[in-house]
Amino acid sequence: GIGKCVAMDLARRNARTILACRSRARGQAAVEEIRAATGNPAVLLRLLDTSSLASVRAFANAVLREEPRLDVLVNNAGVTGLPFTITSEGLEKTFTTNYLGPFLLTNLLLG
């Protein structure tokens, strides 16, 4: 999708690139594909589920702790057509995934 294409382009430009994915298996496959296609070993996987504000906070804390700087953030996660679902945090899942999670992530990473 779009996120993988953006990550591929950033990696081609020799950028340290972090893929924030819900699925470890699918994310690792994407990391390996991007590394092989670009020759850039600095493509990393970090788990993130934007439908969980706890996951967003954990991801942001890890990035702020591990990375000396962040130059570009691409908020690309999104879902559509899900049945109405309430998250464990009491929020509607589609709204949280598409809006609240990315908004919180951006604000936490601003420092």
Side-chain angles (χ1 to χ4, degrees), residues 18-76:
I18 300 171
L19 277 65
C21 303
R22 273 186 322 215
S23 165
R24 182 178 302 278
R26 290 178 58 203
Q28 191 59 44
V31 164
E32 291 169 14
E33 180 183 337
I34 293 168
R35 283 179 182 166
T38 66
N40 183 344
V43 179
L44 312 169
L45 173 65
R46 298 291 181 264
L47 296 181
L48 170 62
D49 180 355
T50 59
S51 74
S52 163
L53 300 185
S55 175
V56 170
R57 285 186 178 93
F59 175 86
N61 286 336
V63 168
L64 292 171
R65 185 177 61 251
E66 297 167 7
E67 301 298 327
R69 64 188 237 210
L70 176 66
D71 296 314
V72 176
L73 173 65
V74 178
N75 279 319
N76 187 61

